[in-house]
């Protein structure tokens, strides 16, 4: 959809405003742009919460929603900061294709809009065109955020955009809003570029620290896209390796393993479960001939260390692995969090012994073995002994 650049400033082009401008004046009074910028700068260095910085912009412009988003050249989200929405609104945004310029004209501003210049909705499409687009009907209008002022930011390596949305048209005070946004945009561009660089450095530090403990580490963002990888992880993604990339996202080649990996990643991304010990998944590496199984990797999936504010680190999930060359009590203990006794029982179950035989081999009562089997069912997420045995053998 062609952008009508002649209509960017329907009430006349605002005067140029330099980076050092400290305030803008209009019918609503003066706005301290320097204060808005400073709050973003403090957030980038972890001295203030990003939500407070976004709130400052919202207060200055009466915006219902403030959204600051950048996507790298692969289409992965480099940063995504938003204020004024609910989780169900975010779900609707994704479902309606909000990141695609074909379904959301506002996204096109981040790609080919004028750099550091405010664009209003009426420069993108007519009222009739708006009404025909599902994302306006199903999200923007229902959220009382049907009108937007947008500006493309200059962030190296990213298509970045600042969007301010509110119920009534920004055209009622377009000159004032354009002054505020245009005055802040250059400094915000610099700040977000610095924040992305700081975030990349933080991700690198997390990876290097984890490597000292576990040697091989793979960092993913919240969408299962790769952020950073230890050199030893290339074999995981080799043509015959246990992991693969589909649509830019990490998956396990084996369907059952991929389900287990998906559950583990979901737990790591859940704020209510992120502090729990990481889930473990077994990956089978190919043997030397490419067909026989080689080493087994116990892959631990946990939330990546991150702060609620501060530099924009992309890594949300950390996958680390250690080798378990053959089925053993140690393998089961690491995989399912078993006690030494439970792990020994698991090994005997996996090779085909029943409870009575295990009791004889371990010199204990059948009742004790049954208690340990109940613990194994609970820790492996299984419900019957046959299912438990299949789960243990599948891990081998």
């Amino acid at each position: 959809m062609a952008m009508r650049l002649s209509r960017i400033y329907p009430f006349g082009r605002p005067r140029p405003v330099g980076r050092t401008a400290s305030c803008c004046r209009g019918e609503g009074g003066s706005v301290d742009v320097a204060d808005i910028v400073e709050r973003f700068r403090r957030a980038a260095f972890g001295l203030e919460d990003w939500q407070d910085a976004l709130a400052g912009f919202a207060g200055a412009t009466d915006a219902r929603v403030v959204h600051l988003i950048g996507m790298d050249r692969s289409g992965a989200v480099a940063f995504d900061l938003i204020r004024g929405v609910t989780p169900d609104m975010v779900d609707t945004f994704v479902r309606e294709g909000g990141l695609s310029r074909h379904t959301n004209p506002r996204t096109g501003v981040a790609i080919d809009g004028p750099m550091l210049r405010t664009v209003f909705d009426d420069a993108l499409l007519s009222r009739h065109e708006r009404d025909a687009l599902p994302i306006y009907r199903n999200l923007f209008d229902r959220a009382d955020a049907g009108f937007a002022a947008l500006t493309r930011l200059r962030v190296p390596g990213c298509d970045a955009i600042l969007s301010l949305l509110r119920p009534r048209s920004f055209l009622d005070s377009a000159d004032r809003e354009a002054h505020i946004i245009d005055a802040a945009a250059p400094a915000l561009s610099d700040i977000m570029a610095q924040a992305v660089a700081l975030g990349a450095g933080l991700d690198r530090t997390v990876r290097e620290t984890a490597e000292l403990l576990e040697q091989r580490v793979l960092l993913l963002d919240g969408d299962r896209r790769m952020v950073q990888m230890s050199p030893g992880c290339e074999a995981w993604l080799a043509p015959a390796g246990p992991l693969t990339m589909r649509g830019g996202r990490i998956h396990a080649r084996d369907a059952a393993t991929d389900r287990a990996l998906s559950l583990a990643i979901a737990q790591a991304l859940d704020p209510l479960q992120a502090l729990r010990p990481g889930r473990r998944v077994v990956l089978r590496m190919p043997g030397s001939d490419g067909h026989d199984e080689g080493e087994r990797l116990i892959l631990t999936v946990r939330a990546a260390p991150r702060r609620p504010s501060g530099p924009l680190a992309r890594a949300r999930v950390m996958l680390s692995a250690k080798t378990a060359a053959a089925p053993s009590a140690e393998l089961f203990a690491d995989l399912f969090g078993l006690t030494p006794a439970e792990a020994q029982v698991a090994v005997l179950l996996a090779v085909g012994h029943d409870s009575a035989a295990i009791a004889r081999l371990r010199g204990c009562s059948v009742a004790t073995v049954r208690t340990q089997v109940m613990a194994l069912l609970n820790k492996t997420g299984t419900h019957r002994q046959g299912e438990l045995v299949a789960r243990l053998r599948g891990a081998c």
Side-chain angles (χ1 to χ4, degrees):
M1 186 175 297
M3 186 178 298
R4 304 180 183 90
L5 299 182
S6 62
R7 300 174 63 196
I8 291 174
Y9 300 110
F11 294 113
R13 187 181 184 86
R15 62 177 173 78
V17 182
R19 295 191 183 195
T20 58
S22 61
C23 68
C24 296
R25 297 185 179 276
E27 294 179 1
S30 63
V31 172
D32 190 344
V33 176
D35 179 66
I36 294 173
V37 168
E38 180 59 24
R39 294 177 76 172
F40 277 93
R41 195 181 311 280
R42 289 174 60 82
F45 286 92
L47 303 177
E48 187 165 338
D49 194 273
W50 287 106
Q51 287 296 313
D52 293 335
L54 296 171
F57 222 133
T61 57
D62 296 324
R64 164 77 170 79
V65 175
V66 180
H67 192 192
L68 191 57
I69 185 169
M71 293 171 287
D72 66 20
R73 297 297 182 251
S74 72
V77 175
F79 55 87
D80 188 7
L81 305 169
I82 192 165
R83 178 191 183 276
V85 302
T86 58
D88 63 305
M89 291 165 64
V90 175
D91 291 341
T92 303
F93 182 81
V94 174
R95 185 171 63 251
E96 297 291 348
L99 293 178
S100 169
R101 62 184 302 178
H102 302 294
T103 53
N104 179 14
R106 292 172 177 173
T107 298
V109 176
I111 300 170
D112 57 12
M115 190 72 72
L116 306 178
R117 292 294 182 185
T118 303
V119 177
F120 294 95
D121 261 336
D122 82 323
L124 306 177
L125 69 174
S126 68
R127 181 70 197 200
H128 175 74
E129 291 168 330
R130 282 169 47 91
D131 293 342
L133 285 173
I135 196 166
Y136 278 85
R137 295 196 311 270
N138 300 334
L139 178 61
F140 297 150
D141 292 337
R142 290 185 180 181
D144 286 333
F147 297 90
L150 315 101
T151 189
R152 182 183 177 195
L153 301 181
R154 184 180 283 114
V155 180
C158 290
D159 292 321
I161 185 172
L162 169 67
S163 305
L164 293 93
L165 293 71
R166 70 184 186 195
R168 66 183 184 276
S169 174
F170 274 96
L171 304 183
D172 295 337
S173 55
D175 187 69
R176 177 177 182 272
E177 309 302 355
H179 275 39
I180 297 171
I181 297 168
D182 288 350
L188 287 183
S189 296
D190 293 340
I191 290 169
M192 298 314 295
Q194 293 169 5
V196 169
L198 285 169
L202 179 59
D203 287 337
R204 184 168 54 253
T205 299
V206 167
R207 190 204 76 215
E208 291 172 351
T209 302
E211 285 173 351
L212 293 175
L213 301 173
E214 305 191 52
Q215 295 187 336
R216 286 172 286 185
V217 178
L218 181 64
L219 297 179
L220 306 180
D221 67 10
D223 202 28
R224 294 175 71 150
R225 294 177 182 267
M226 187 162 55
V227 175
Q228 292 200 17
M229 177 176 68
S230 300
C233 296
E234 288 97 337
W236 300 358
L237 293 162
L243 299 180
T244 186
M245 298 274 286
R246 294 201 298 267
R249 296 168 177 83
I250 295 291
H251 290 271
R253 292 184 187 277
D254 174 71
T257 304
D258 195 51
R259 287 193 294 272
L261 181 61
S262 296
L263 287 173
I265 291 175
Q267 176 178 302
L269 291 173
D270 186 345
L272 298 178
Q273 301 189 65
L275 296 180
R276 295 177 58 184
R279 279 178 173 263
R280 293 178 173 86
V281 178
V282 172
L283 297 182
R284 293 177 176 82
M285 298 296 292
S288 57
D289 62 357
H291 298 287
D292 296 334
E293 289 183 5
E295 65 178 2
R296 291 168 179 80
L297 301 177
I298 300 178
L299 193 69
T300 302
V301 183
R302 60 172 70 91
R306 63 194 297 262
R307 289 186 285 174
S309 187
L312 292 168
R314 285 178 57 190
R316 298 286 307 282
V317 180
M318 182 168 66
L319 282 62
S320 57
K322 67 177 182 179
T323 302
S328 64
E330 181 184 5
L331 170 66
F332 290 136
D334 283 338
L335 186 56
F336 302 115
L338 307 181
T339 65
E342 291 166 352
Q344 291 291 340
V345 171
V347 170
L348 294 172
L349 283 172
V351 297
H353 293 295
D354 60 18
S355 296
I358 294 173
R360 289 194 302 272
L361 290 168
R362 291 186 53 76
C364 63
S365 68
V366 173
T368 297
V369 174
R370 287 174 179 165
T371 299
Q372 292 167 329
V373 170
M374 290 298 296
L376 290 172
L377 290 170
N378 186 44
K379 291 184 178 182
T380 59
T382 53
H383 301 89
R384 297 180 300 277
Q385 186 162 326
E387 186 181 354
L388 168 62
V389 172
R391 179 84 171 90
L392 294 172
R393 288 176 177 170
C396 296

